[in-house]
Amino acid sequence: MLPGDGIGPEVTAAGTKMLAAVAARSGHNFTFSAQLIGGAAIDATGEPLPQDTIDSCRESDAVILGAVGGPRWSDPNAATRPEQGILALRAALQVFANIRPVQIFPELADASPLKNELLEGVDLVVIRELTGGIYFGEKNRDAHSASDLCIYHDYEVERIVRFAARLAAERSGKLCSVDKANVLESSRLWRDVTVKLMADEFPDIELEHMLVDAAAMHLIRRPADFDVIVTENMFGDILTDEASMLAGSMGMLPSASLGDSGPGLYEPIHGSAPDIAGQGIANPCGMLASIAMLLRHSLKLEEEAHAVEQAIQTVICDGARTADIATGGVTPLNTEQMTDRIVAALPA
Ligand code: IPM
Ligand code: MG
């Protein structure tokens, strides 16, 4: 468990409460170890990702991450930043495949800024490449210029596209690869490798290419037409914040980050939300849905994963809301109340 900063510890507590409840119900026994990351780690050790944290993660079956960052550590000239902790962790665990599902509860349509009718039938997954591209390329800075290198190797594209294509095969049989091949050389490599890999290994999957600017537009114009999207690191970062508005709130969405081996990393897609940190009002749903993904992908407990998803759905359908998704004069629940409602809704 890496609670991190801001609302990170609040939602992480919700996550462990859920896992404890799942354990009690199904006779499992989970062992937790809390470790430092982000600003909390910088304060305690001077580093955003201490070696003890990496070691503990490597010894675990799965890693739960709250969130990192906050105004206290956001001096752009600081030697270390909390976000470096997350990036270094993704690299250390080699979790190159970031799964970000965007599922819509029709009951939350009014919480979305989009027109209700656009949201009908939305059920998409973004597969974001997580350990390459501009996030990890060489950085340079002098007095008057700065650069960030966006580099992809063919093997990095192959493994993420293969991952996404396998998911597409289980879903609609369609894959949309998002790039900027009209401008970027790294995107032209991405597209060439994707075309070849799909022809060789997944000839039955329908492959579509979309430029990232067009994808940003179509995501809000006709979101229900998307199913599995695969894209590079930074495009995936940007498009998933945009896509979260389909679900009504960033607070609803989970993510899982997986590699070829080793522990999976599970985190809600929201950030540390300094504006509401410490108030106990954060939406725990993104974390709880991430716990469902953890049960499914790292522990292979499909039934338990499904039970957690059912419980979230039941409580949302019953009208329980945290402040970020409360509409029409509903009195919002706080983090603990919402978590307890969802835990209580777990099927027996
Ligand atoms: C995310 C976040 C991170 C990212 C930050 C905190 C480094 O925005 O997980 O989407 O950019 O990957
Ligand atoms: Mg992001």
Side-chain angles (χ1 to χ4, degrees):
M1 286 160 43
L2 311 178
D5 309 318
I7 60 169
E10 300 165 36
V11 297
T12 303
T16 44
K17 192 181 242 187
M18 174 56 83
L19 279 172
V22 168
R25 250 156 248 248
S26 45
H28 302 296
N29 188 8
F30 302 125
T31 311
F32 301 107
S33 155
Q35 300 292 337
L36 294 166
I37 194 169
I42 293 175
D43 287 351
T45 71
E47 293 173 69
L49 183 68
Q51 187 62 41
D52 282 353
T53 298
I54 301 176
D55 294 344
S56 174
C57 290
R58 288 206 172 114
E59 285 161 16
S60 303
D61 294 308
V63 179
I64 305 170
L65 176 70
V68 301
R72 275 183 54 203
W73 308 280
S74 46
D75 172 3
N77 296 313
T80 52
R81 296 181 53 98
E83 290 78 6
Q84 289 167 340
I86 288 206
L87 300 182
L89 181 66
R90 291 171 180 168
L93 300 179
Q94 271 299 297
V95 284
F96 62 86
N98 181 217
I99 314 173
R100 294 189 167 187
V102 181
Q103 266 167 353
I104 304 294
F105 293 109
E107 293 78 10
L108 295 184
D110 287 340
S112 169
L114 271 78
K115 290 192 191 107
N116 286 8
E117 64 263 27
L118 283 174
L119 299 172
E120 260 164 53
V122 169
D123 177 8
L124 62 93
V125 185
V126 178
I127 303 297
R128 169 187 175 194
E129 200 290 326
L130 201 61
T131 52
I134 198 167
Y135 274 57
F136 292 93
E138 192 183 313
K139 295 177 188 299
N140 280 303
R141 177 79 184 260
D142 63 29
H144 298 289
S145 69
S147 64
D148 300 272
L149 178 68
C150 182
I151 178 164
Y152 269 106
H153 298 91
D154 49 6
Y155 76 90
E156 294 174 297
V157 181
E158 278 163 12
R159 66 186 180 181
I160 192 69
V161 172
R162 190 176 285 123
F163 186 97
R166 286 188 181 134
L167 181 67
E170 289 168 15
R171 290 175 55 109
S172 68
K174 289 193 317 188
L175 179 63
C176 177
S177 172
V178 171
D179 62 35
K180 186 71 184 172
N182 54 347
V183 176
L184 302 178
E185 204 56 50
S186 53
S187 279
R188 286 191 276 272
L189 174 94
W190 181 283
R191 199 176 278 212
D192 289 347
V193 171
T194 300
V195 166
K196 176 156 195 323
L197 180 120
M198 294 300 292
D200 288 351
E201 297 182 24
F202 301 93
D204 297 336
I205 303 261
E206 192 185 313
L207 174 65
E208 178 187 15
H209 304 281
M210 199 179 282
L211 297 173
V212 64
D213 48 352
M217 186 262 292
H218 289 304
L219 261 179
I220 53 172
R221 198 179 73 115
R222 46 180 189 91
D225 289 353
F226 288 94
D227 190 47
V228 181
I229 297 173
V230 63
T231 192
E232 64 100 61
N233 203 342
M234 188 164 71
F235 297 160
D237 178 48
I238 298 168
L239 292 178
T240 51
D241 266 30
E242 184 190 10
S244 75
M245 285 299 101
L246 304 169
S249 167
M250 293 265 288
M252 292 302 297
L253 294 190
S255 83
S257 304
L258 305 175
D260 282 327
S261 60
L265 173 62
Y266 299 86
E267 48 176 319
I269 79 152
H270 63 68
S272 60
D275 52 326
I276 58 161
Q279 298 179 32
I281 59 167
N283 185 346
C285 289
M287 173 57 89
L288 298 178
S290 303
I291 295 294
M293 295 184 86
L294 181 159
L295 291 164
R296 172 172 297 124
H297 294 286
S298 283
L299 305 183
K300 309 293 175 210
L301 297 173
E302 175 58 35
E303 218 171 283
E304 287 82 347
H306 190 67
V308 173
E309 288 165 349
Q310 282 297 140
I312 297 170
Q313 174 159 13
T314 303
V315 166
I316 295 289
C317 289
D318 284 352
R321 301 284 183 270
T322 43
D324 57 316
I325 49 173
T327 49
V330 176
T331 308
L333 302 182
N334 65 29
T335 310
E336 199 174 1
Q337 291 164 331
M338 188 73 171
T339 305
D340 290 344
R341 283 282 291 270
I342 297 172
V343 166
L346 278 174

mmCIF file of all heavy atoms in Angstrom, residues 196-218:
data_model
loop_
_atom_site.group_PDB
_atom_site.id
_atom_site.type_symbol
_atom_site.label_atom_id
_atom_site.label_comp_id
_atom_site.label_asym_id
_atom_site.label_seq_id
_atom_site.Cartn_x
_atom_site.Cartn_y
_atom_site.Cartn_z
ATOM 1 N N LYS A 196 1.857 -4.141 -38.954
ATOM 2 C CA LYS A 196 2.503 -5.430 -39.204
ATOM 3 C C LYS A 196 2.095 -6.466 -38.155
ATOM 4 O O LYS A 196 1.718 -7.596 -38.474
ATOM 5 C CB LYS A 196 4.027 -5.250 -39.214
ATOM 6 C CG LYS A 196 4.773 -6.550 -39.366
ATOM 7 C CD LYS A 196 6.155 -6.373 -39.952
ATOM 8 C CE LYS A 196 6.752 -7.697 -40.431
ATOM 9 N NZ LYS A 196 6.451 -8.856 -39.595
ATOM 10 N N LEU A 197 2.150 -6.052 -36.886
ATOM 11 C CA LEU A 197 1.813 -6.989 -35.808
ATOM 12 C C LEU A 197 0.367 -7.472 -35.923
ATOM 13 O O LEU A 197 0.081 -8.667 -35.758
ATOM 14 C CB LEU A 197 2.040 -6.330 -34.454
ATOM 15 C CG LEU A 197 1.714 -7.263 -33.296
ATOM 16 C CD1 LEU A 197 2.933 -7.488 -32.425
ATOM 17 C CD2 LEU A 197 0.562 -6.759 -32.463
ATOM 18 N N MET A 198 -0.525 -6.563 -36.222
ATOM 19 C CA MET A 198 -1.937 -6.943 -36.309
ATOM 20 C C MET A 198 -2.167 -7.886 -37.490
ATOM 21 O O MET A 198 -2.940 -8.839 -37.380
ATOM 22 C CB MET A 198 -2.821 -5.693 -36.419
ATOM 23 C CG MET A 198 -2.802 -4.814 -35.180
ATOM 24 S SD MET A 198 -3.365 -5.631 -33.682
ATOM 25 C CE MET A 198 -5.102 -5.849 -34.052
ATOM 26 N N ALA A 199 -1.506 -7.618 -38.609
ATOM 27 C CA ALA A 199 -1.668 -8.494 -39.779
ATOM 28 C C ALA A 199 -1.109 -9.886 -39.480
ATOM 29 O O ALA A 199 -1.709 -10.903 -39.840
ATOM 30 C CB ALA A 199 -0.962 -7.886 -40.991
ATOM 31 N N ASP A 200 0.032 -9.928 -38.784
ATOM 32 C CA ASP A 200 0.674 -11.224 -38.496
ATOM 33 C C ASP A 200 -0.071 -12.020 -37.433
ATOM 34 O O ASP A 200 -0.216 -13.224 -37.538
ATOM 35 C CB ASP A 200 2.108 -11.008 -37.981
ATOM 36 C CG ASP A 200 3.038 -10.544 -39.081
ATOM 37 O OD1 ASP A 200 2.612 -10.559 -40.256
ATOM 38 O OD2 ASP A 200 4.171 -10.143 -38.754
ATOM 39 N N GLU A 201 -0.502 -11.328 -36.353
ATOM 40 C CA GLU A 201 -0.984 -12.063 -35.184
ATOM 41 C C GLU A 201 -2.484 -11.961 -34.943
ATOM 42 O O GLU A 201 -3.066 -12.810 -34.273
ATOM 43 C CB GLU A 201 -0.240 -11.577 -33.919
ATOM 44 C CG GLU A 201 1.255 -11.861 -33.982
ATOM 45 C CD GLU A 201 1.974 -11.421 -32.711
ATOM 46 O OE1 GLU A 201 1.329 -11.320 -31.640
ATOM 47 O OE2 GLU A 201 3.187 -11.163 -32.792
ATOM 48 N N PHE A 202 -3.093 -10.882 -35.435
ATOM 49 C CA PHE A 202 -4.529 -10.687 -35.158
ATOM 50 C C PHE A 202 -5.281 -10.289 -36.425
ATOM 51 O O PHE A 202 -5.929 -9.240 -36.478
ATOM 52 C CB PHE A 202 -4.711 -9.593 -34.083
ATOM 53 C CG PHE A 202 -4.021 -9.896 -32.781
ATOM 54 C CD1 PHE A 202 -2.725 -9.432 -32.544
ATOM 55 C CD2 PHE A 202 -4.660 -10.634 -31.796
ATOM 56 C CE1 PHE A 202 -2.077 -9.711 -31.338
ATOM 57 C CE2 PHE A 202 -4.014 -10.916 -30.592
ATOM 58 C CZ PHE A 202 -2.728 -10.448 -30.366
ATOM 59 N N PRO A 203 -5.204 -11.148 -37.457
ATOM 60 C CA PRO A 203 -5.821 -10.758 -38.734
ATOM 61 C C PRO A 203 -7.333 -10.565 -38.634
ATOM 62 O O PRO A 203 -7.915 -9.862 -39.459
ATOM 63 C CB PRO A 203 -5.478 -11.937 -39.662
ATOM 64 C CG PRO A 203 -5.151 -13.076 -38.758
ATOM 65 C CD PRO A 203 -4.572 -12.481 -37.516
ATOM 66 N N ASP A 204 -7.958 -11.146 -37.604
ATOM 67 C CA ASP A 204 -9.419 -11.043 -37.516
ATOM 68 C C ASP A 204 -9.898 -9.812 -36.762
ATOM 69 O O ASP A 204 -11.081 -9.523 -36.716
ATOM 70 C CB ASP A 204 -9.996 -12.285 -36.812
ATOM 71 C CG ASP A 204 -9.701 -13.531 -37.621
ATOM 72 O OD1 ASP A 204 -9.506 -13.396 -38.849
ATOM 73 O OD2 ASP A 204 -9.640 -14.624 -37.032
ATOM 74 N N ILE A 205 -8.968 -9.101 -36.127
ATOM 75 C CA ILE A 205 -9.378 -7.890 -35.397
ATOM 76 C C ILE A 205 -9.417 -6.719 -36.373
ATOM 77 O O ILE A 205 -8.487 -6.518 -37.155
ATOM 78 C CB ILE A 205 -8.370 -7.585 -34.267
ATOM 79 C CG1 ILE A 205 -8.248 -8.781 -33.344
ATOM 80 C CG2 ILE A 205 -8.723 -6.291 -33.547
ATOM 81 C CD1 ILE A 205 -9.025 -8.720 -32.100
ATOM 82 N N GLU A 206 -10.492 -5.972 -36.284
ATOM 83 C CA GLU A 206 -10.638 -4.794 -37.148
ATOM 84 C C GLU A 206 -9.799 -3.659 -36.566
ATOM 85 O O GLU A 206 -10.046 -3.225 -35.433
ATOM 86 C CB GLU A 206 -12.121 -4.419 -37.150
ATOM 87 C CG GLU A 206 -12.529 -3.424 -38.198
ATOM 88 C CD GLU A 206 -13.999 -3.044 -37.992
ATOM 89 O OE1 GLU A 206 -14.831 -3.964 -37.815
ATOM 90 O OE2 GLU A 206 -14.286 -1.839 -37.974
ATOM 91 N N LEU A 207 -8.807 -3.203 -37.326
ATOM 92 C CA LEU A 207 -7.879 -2.174 -36.837
ATOM 93 C C LEU A 207 -8.191 -0.828 -37.477
ATOM 94 O O LEU A 207 -8.295 -0.716 -38.693
ATOM 95 C CB LEU A 207 -6.438 -2.584 -37.177
ATOM 96 C CG LEU A 207 -5.349 -1.558 -36.862
ATOM 97 C CD1 LEU A 207 -5.227 -1.309 -35.362
ATOM 98 C CD2 LEU A 207 -3.997 -2.019 -37.423
ATOM 99 N N GLU A 208 -8.323 0.184 -36.622
ATOM 100 C CA GLU A 208 -8.540 1.538 -37.125
ATOM 101 C C GLU A 208 -7.431 2.424 -36.553
ATOM 102 O O GLU A 208 -7.023 2.259 -35.407
ATOM 103 C CB GLU A 208 -9.900 2.041 -36.623
ATOM 104 C CG GLU A 208 -10.233 3.454 -37.039
ATOM 105 C CD GLU A 208 -11.515 3.987 -36.377
ATOM 106 O OE1 GLU A 208 -11.995 3.384 -35.403
ATOM 107 O OE2 GLU A 208 -12.025 5.008 -36.836
ATOM 108 N N HIS A 209 -6.941 3.363 -37.349
ATOM 109 C CA HIS A 209 -5.977 4.349 -36.843
ATOM 110 C C HIS A 209 -6.688 5.679 -36.723
ATOM 111 O O HIS A 209 -7.455 6.047 -37.599
ATOM 112 C CB HIS A 209 -4.800 4.514 -37.812
ATOM 113 C CG HIS A 209 -4.104 3.231 -38.114
ATOM 114 N ND1 HIS A 209 -3.206 2.650 -37.254
ATOM 115 C CD2 HIS A 209 -4.208 2.400 -39.164
ATOM 116 C CE1 HIS A 209 -2.774 1.512 -37.776
ATOM 117 N NE2 HIS A 209 -3.372 1.333 -38.936
ATOM 118 N N MET A 210 -6.398 6.401 -35.660
ATOM 119 C CA MET A 210 -7.018 7.711 -35.506
ATOM 120 C C MET A 210 -5.959 8.689 -35.007
ATOM 121 O O MET A 210 -5.175 8.352 -34.106
ATOM 122 C CB MET A 210 -8.178 7.623 -34.499
ATOM 123 C CG MET A 210 -9.154 8.776 -34.603
ATOM 124 S SD MET A 210 -10.508 8.614 -33.427
ATOM 125 C CE MET A 210 -11.534 7.398 -34.236
ATOM 126 N N LEU A 211 -5.930 9.876 -35.579
ATOM 127 C CA LEU A 211 -5.002 10.895 -35.101
ATOM 128 C C LEU A 211 -5.504 11.419 -33.755
ATOM 129 O O LEU A 211 -6.708 11.517 -33.520
ATOM 130 C CB LEU A 211 -4.873 12.029 -36.118
ATOM 131 C CG LEU A 211 -4.288 11.587 -37.467
ATOM 132 C CD1 LEU A 211 -4.351 12.735 -38.479
ATOM 133 C CD2 LEU A 211 -2.843 11.106 -37.298
ATOM 134 N N VAL A 212 -4.570 11.753 -32.889
ATOM 135 C CA VAL A 212 -4.953 12.052 -31.501
ATOM 136 C C VAL A 212 -5.861 13.275 -31.396
ATOM 137 O O VAL A 212 -6.761 13.324 -30.543
ATOM 138 C CB VAL A 212 -3.704 12.174 -30.596
ATOM 139 C CG1 VAL A 212 -2.812 13.348 -31.009
ATOM 140 C CG2 VAL A 212 -4.099 12.294 -29.135
ATOM 141 N N ASP A 213 -5.670 14.250 -32.251
ATOM 142 C CA ASP A 213 -6.543 15.429 -32.178
ATOM 143 C C ASP A 213 -7.978 15.051 -32.556
ATOM 144 O O ASP A 213 -8.954 15.464 -31.904
ATOM 145 C CB ASP A 213 -6.010 16.603 -33.026
ATOM 146 C CG ASP A 213 -5.602 16.201 -34.439
ATOM 147 O OD1 ASP A 213 -5.578 14.991 -34.748
ATOM 148 O OD2 ASP A 213 -5.307 17.109 -35.245
ATOM 149 N N ALA A 214 -8.109 14.213 -33.578
ATOM 150 C CA ALA A 214 -9.440 13.742 -33.964
ATOM 151 C C ALA A 214 -10.045 12.862 -32.864
ATOM 152 O O ALA A 214 -11.244 12.947 -32.570
ATOM 153 C CB ALA A 214 -9.357 12.968 -35.278
ATOM 154 N N ALA A 215 -9.193 12.049 -32.244
ATOM 155 C CA ALA A 215 -9.689 11.171 -31.168
ATOM 156 C C ALA A 215 -10.244 12.004 -30.016
ATOM 157 O O ALA A 215 -11.286 11.684 -29.443
ATOM 158 C CB ALA A 215 -8.566 10.253 -30.675
ATOM 159 N N ALA A 216 -9.564 13.095 -29.696
ATOM 160 C CA ALA A 216 -10.030 13.976 -28.609
ATOM 161 C C ALA A 216 -11.409 14.534 -28.938
ATOM 162 O O ALA A 216 -12.273 14.657 -28.060
ATOM 163 C CB ALA A 216 -9.034 15.116 -28.396
ATOM 164 N N MET A 217 -11.618 14.834 -30.206
ATOM 165 C CA MET A 217 -12.908 15.373 -30.637
ATOM 166 C C MET A 217 -13.980 14.278 -30.637
ATOM 167 O O MET A 217 -15.069 14.455 -30.070
ATOM 168 C CB MET A 217 -12.709 15.984 -32.030
ATOM 169 C CG MET A 217 -13.889 16.708 -32.595
ATOM 170 S SD MET A 217 -14.783 15.656 -33.718
ATOM 171 C CE MET A 217 -13.612 15.505 -35.064
ATOM 172 N N HIS A 218 -13.661 13.133 -31.239
ATOM 173 C CA HIS A 218 -14.674 12.070 -31.334
ATOM 174 C C HIS A 218 -15.054 11.499 -29.965
ATOM 175 O O HIS A 218 -16.164 11.015 -29.781
ATOM 176 C CB HIS A 218 -14.192 10.956 -32.265
ATOM 177 C CG HIS A 218 -14.182 11.369 -33.700
ATOM 178 N ND1 HIS A 218 -15.306 11.845 -34.350
ATOM 179 C CD2 HIS A 218 -13.179 11.413 -34.621
ATOM 180 C CE1 HIS A 218 -14.992 12.157 -35.603
ATOM 181 N NE2 HIS A 218 -13.709 11.911 -35.784
#
